[in-house]
């Protein structure tokens, strides 16, 4: 990409707000902030700026609003849809939240924690543990993603079945609006029926309506005991019957029910040789089941064994392993947490963050695989997901060498997504359960969105961000990039 001359004075003015050492001007040092995690999108920025607190964020946003400069909020940059990457024009400012990393307070009585939006998820989990509580959001990128990014994508992860998504975990928010005003909604109230849910609008907005600078999040009693197992089943219907049985017998103790297709586990074994797969790859599906309880003791492993025994007798599962130590449990989770890295290593990933009603899940799985293969016979189709909440990630992985050009590859990827949506929509599913829309899914949103809902979204955007400067070109299908 040819260099673009920066606008005179922008880097200097931002330096006056946050300190010159916290502004990175155009050039190579910007690369980690201008490319997305998957390496799919490459942009440029007028500057990357790292304010220290909400007041500095507000001052940066005000300066940008007054000078017509677009702002791209960025947390850990682990998002899957290119939503945190600036456009190639080089005319926007990337606003990193890293320095907003304080735990503001914790309340054991109120089961709540107040944090800056730049706190890394794993640090929030640790801060909760320090007061003998659990912050339940858990996902593969938890060592680098930030609370602001988690809220802005309405992240889900592996414990949604029991604790809900980030939307359900959020009690209060602090947001810098596109005009630079600071909206303080940092309440820890569990019940609040005073008018519209304004705070809720910023959750899942992918930074298009404002910049989250702080949040009050729900905590839970910390489990004292847990048990983890992996069960193998031949057909998706059997996996779903196992889920129903586990819910019936174990109730709310069931905290995770994750699945991987055999092809997915094979891809992990191929690319991540240090991940130990402690079973043969004979079955079609692998379910990772975790149960937990606030009561200490040894009751859970036998409880899980009993349910799996019942499933075995009913012919639902072929075999199962119950972890006999914490290390073994961590090993089973490691397999599940390796899906993103290994799929990325396998080729060009055309990923779909599908969510389908559980009653239609098996039908979806079968039809979607056939649809992807029909669109591209050479695709490796892998699936994994948090099927307990209906969310199954369907990936068509392509070998770029088979395509004459990057355009041809992208065109085939779009055809695959079209095929997936063709199966998903009639079954009452949605195109994004937890990753968001960003850039990758804007066209798909145009295709499947409820037109009235889309119109309302455009209105909200126009009211809050009339200049269209807040993360332009993201989410809304016809929003123009900076
Ligand atoms: P970024 O990628 O930096 O940004 C994401 C979006 O949020 C962008 O639109 C950005 O502009 C906006 N944003 C960021 N911070 C703010 C802020 N303070 N205010 C306003 N807008 C902001 N996701 C899941 O939900 N479940 C999973 O199980 C899961 N597993 C993953 C596993 C791996 C290995 C990886 C790499 C990613 C995974 N993800 C998963 C995706 C990703 O981690 C989540 O989307 C995460 O919530 C993004 O957080 P982030 O801080 O990296 O946000």
């Amino acid at each position: 990409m040819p260099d673009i001359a920066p606008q005179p004075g922008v880097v200097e003015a931002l330096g006056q707000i946050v300190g010159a050492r916290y502004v990175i001007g155009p050039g190579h040092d910007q690369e980690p902030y201008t490319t997305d995690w998957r390496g799919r999108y490459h942009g440029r920025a007028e500057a990357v700026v790292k304010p220290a607190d909400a007041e500095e964020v507000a001052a940066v946003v005000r300066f940008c609003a007054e000078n017509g400069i677009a702002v791209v909020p960025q947390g850990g940059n682990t998002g899957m849809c290119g939503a945190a990457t600036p456009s190639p024009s080089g005319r926007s400012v990337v606003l990193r939240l890293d320095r907003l990393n304080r735990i503001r307070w914790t309340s054991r009585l109120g089961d709540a924690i107040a944090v800056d939006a730049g706190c890394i998820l794993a640090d929030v989990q640790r801060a909760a543990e320090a007061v003998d509580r659990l912050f339940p959001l858990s996902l593969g990128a938890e060592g680098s993603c930030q609370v602001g990014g988690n809220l802005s994508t309405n992240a889900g992860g592996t414990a949604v079945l029991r604790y809900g998504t980030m939307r359900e975990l959020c009690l209060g928010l602090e947001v810098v609006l596109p005009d630079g005003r600071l909206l303080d909604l940092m309440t820890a109230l569990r019940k609040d029926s005073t008018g519209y849910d304004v705070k809720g609008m910023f959750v899942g907005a992918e930074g298009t309506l404002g910049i989250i600078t702080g949040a009050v999040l729900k905590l839970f009693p910390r489990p004292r005991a847990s048990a983890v197992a992996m069960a193998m089943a031949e057909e998706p219907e059997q996996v779903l019957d196992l889920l129903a049985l586990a819910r019936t017998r174990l109730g709310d103790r069931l905290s995770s029910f994750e699945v991987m297709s055999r092809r997915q586990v094979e891809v992990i074994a191929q690319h991540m040789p240090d991940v130990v797969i402690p079973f043969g790859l004979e079955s079609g599906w692998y379910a990772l089941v975790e149960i937990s309880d606030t009561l200490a003791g040894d009751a859970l492993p036998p409880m899980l064994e009993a349910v799996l025994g019942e499933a075995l007798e009913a012919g639902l599962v072929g075999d199962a392993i119950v972890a006999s130590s914490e290390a073994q449990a961590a090993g089973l989770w490691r397999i599940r947490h390796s899906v993103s890295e290994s799929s990325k290593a396998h080729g060009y990933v055309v990923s779909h963050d599908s969510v389908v009603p559980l009653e239609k899940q098996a039908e979806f799985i079968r039809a979607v695989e056939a649809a992807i293969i029909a669109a591209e016979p050479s695709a490796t189709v892998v699936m994994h997901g948090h099927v307990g909440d209906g969310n199954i990630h369907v990936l068509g992985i392509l070998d770029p060498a088979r395509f004459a050009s990057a355009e041809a590859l992208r065109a085939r990827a779009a055809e695959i997504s079209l095929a997936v949506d063709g199966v998903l929509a009639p079954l009452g599913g949605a195109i994004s359960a937890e990753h968001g829309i960003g850039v990758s899914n804007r066209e798909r949103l145009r295709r499947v969105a409820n037109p009235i809902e889309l119109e309302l979204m455009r209105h909200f955007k126009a009211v809050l961000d009339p200049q269209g400067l807040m993360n332009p070109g993201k989410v809304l299908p016809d929003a123009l990039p900076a």
Side-chain angles (χ1 to χ4, degrees), residues 37 72-80 83-84 97 117 138-141 144-146 148-150 152-158 206-207 210-213 336-337 340-341 386 434-435 471:
W37 185 82
V72 179
Q74 192 176 92
N77 199 17
T78 67
M80 295 290 192
L97 278 295
S138 175
L139 47 94
S144 48
C145 64
Q146 299 177 3
N150 300 148
S152 300
T153 54
N154 186 25
T158 52
E206 300 179 57
I211 298 185
I212 298 172
T213 51
R336 171 64 186 87
H337 282 314
S340 303
E341 291 275 358
H386 322 290
E434 57 178 13
H435 290 167
N471 210 3

Side-chain angles (χ1 to χ4, degrees), residues 37-38 71-85 95-97 100 117-119 121 137-142 144-158 160 166 174-175 202 205-214 258 336-341 344 353 384 386 391 393 433-436 438 470-471 474-475:
W37 185 82
R38 290 192 299 171
V71 179
V72 179
Q74 192 176 92
N77 199 17
T78 67
M80 295 290 192
C81 310
T85 309
L95 195 151
R96 284 283 303 202
L97 278 295
L100 280 78
C119 284
L121 173 55
L137 186 77
S138 175
L139 47 94
E142 63 197 25
S144 48
C145 64
Q146 299 177 3
V147 165
N150 300 148
L151 283 159
S152 300
T153 54
N154 186 25
T158 52
V160 171
M166 207 50 182
E174 180 186 81
V175 184
F202 298 94
E206 300 179 57
T208 59
L209 300 179
I211 298 185
I212 298 172
T213 51
E258 304 281 305
R336 171 64 186 87
H337 282 314
S338 302
V339 295
S340 303
E341 291 275 358
K344 186 176 164 185
D353 176 28
H384 64 268
H386 322 290
N391 179 194
H393 300 295
E434 57 178 13
H435 290 167
M470 200 49 72
N471 210 3
K474 313 291 166 48
V475 183

Side-chain angles (χ1 to χ4, degrees), residues 83-103:
T85 309
S87 77
S89 76
R91 290 296 174 226
S92 39
V93 162
V94 172
L95 195 151
R96 284 283 303 202
L97 278 295
D98 311 48
R99 293 175 68 217
L100 280 78
N101 58 6
R102 285 175 315 132
I103 304 292

Side-chain angles (χ1 to χ4, degrees), residues 96-444:
R96 284 283 303 202
L97 278 295
D98 311 48
R99 293 175 68 217
L100 280 78
N101 58 6
R102 285 175 315 132
I103 304 292
R104 299 190 189 178
W105 52 259
T106 45
S107 169
R108 201 157 168 264
L109 176 63
D111 276 323
I113 184 168
V115 299
D116 281 357
C119 284
I120 288 174
L121 173 55
D123 291 337
V124 177
Q125 294 166 345
R126 275 191 283 272
E129 256 177 61
V131 292
D132 199 20
R133 286 291 179 265
L134 171 78
F135 181 61
L137 186 77
S138 175
L139 47 94
E142 63 197 25
S144 48
C145 64
Q146 299 177 3
V147 165
N150 300 148
L151 283 159
S152 300
T153 54
N154 186 25
T158 52
V160 171
L161 184 59
R162 181 158 174 185
Y163 299 103
T165 65
M166 207 50 182
R167 178 165 279 130
E168 286 141 290
L169 297 174
C170 176
L171 292 170
L173 272 193
E174 180 186 81
V175 184
V176 170
L177 299 176
D179 60 8
R181 279 179 300 165
L182 187 66
L183 175 64
D184 182 351
L185 300 173
M186 287 288 278
T187 167
L189 300 175
R190 298 262 161 177
K191 297 172 85 176
D192 184 355
S193 301
T194 41
Y196 300 148
D197 182 12
V198 172
K199 133 186 103 59
M201 293 227 323
F202 298 94
V203 180
E206 300 179 57
T208 59
L209 300 179
I211 298 185
I212 298 172
T213 51
V216 183
L217 305 170
K218 282 183 194 169
L219 299 182
F220 295 83
R222 206 153 67 85
R224 294 280 186 271
S226 66
V228 176
M230 190 161 277
M232 293 132 223
E234 208 42 61
E235 304 296 338
E237 286 83 356
Q238 294 170 322
V239 176
L240 294 163
D241 284 348
L242 174 64
L243 169 66
L245 178 69
R247 288 282 291 162
T248 307
R249 297 282 181 262
L250 302 163
D252 273 350
R253 287 190 193 92
L254 185 64
S255 42
S256 296
F257 193 99
E258 304 281 305
V259 297
M260 293 171 285
S261 66
R262 177 169 57 207
R263 195 71 189 95
Q264 178 72 76
V265 183
E266 284 168 353
V267 165
I268 295 169
Q270 184 180 339
H271 296 283
M272 304 190 75
D274 57 326
V275 175
V276 180
I277 316 274
F279 41 78
L281 287 173
E282 294 96 30
S283 298
W285 292 88
Y286 297 82
L288 180 66
V289 186
E290 177 163 306
I291 62 173
S292 59
D293 204 313
T294 49
L295 290 177
D298 302 328
L300 293 193
M303 217 181 264
L304 190 51
E305 263 162 30
V307 173
L308 292 170
E310 199 179 333
L312 203 71
E313 265 177 38
L316 301 181
V317 302
D319 201 358
I321 302 170
V322 179
S324 58
S325 66
E326 272 185 32
Q328 248 186 36
L332 292 178
W333 269 112
R334 175 116 201 271
I335 303 170
R336 171 64 186 87
H337 282 314
S338 302
V339 295
S340 303
E341 291 275 358
S342 57
S343 302
K344 186 176 164 185
H346 199 70
Y348 184 94
V349 176
V350 189
S351 101
H352 305 91
D353 176 28
S354 318
V355 53
V356 182
L358 283 174
E359 297 76 12
K360 305 280 184 187
Q361 191 79 227
E363 187 181 343
F364 173 70
I365 284 171
R366 279 185 222 297
V368 82
E369 173 146 19
I372 293 177
I373 293 297
E376 175 49 53
S378 75
T380 304
V381 181
V382 301
M383 299 192 208
H384 64 268
H386 322 290
V387 87
D389 50 63
N391 179 194
I392 180 129
H393 300 295
V394 181
L395 279 51
I397 310 181
L398 306 182
D399 176 0
R402 286 177 164 270
F403 295 84
S405 64
E407 285 71 44
L409 177 63
R410 277 197 293 272
R412 188 54 51 86
E415 282 167 29
I416 289 177
S417 295
L418 191 64
V420 170
D421 295 349
V423 177
L424 185 84
L427 296 178
I431 60 170
S432 176
E434 57 178 13
H435 290 167
I437 301 298
V439 179
S440 318
N441 296 322
R442 287 187 339 147
E443 279 313 310
R444 299 178 64 207

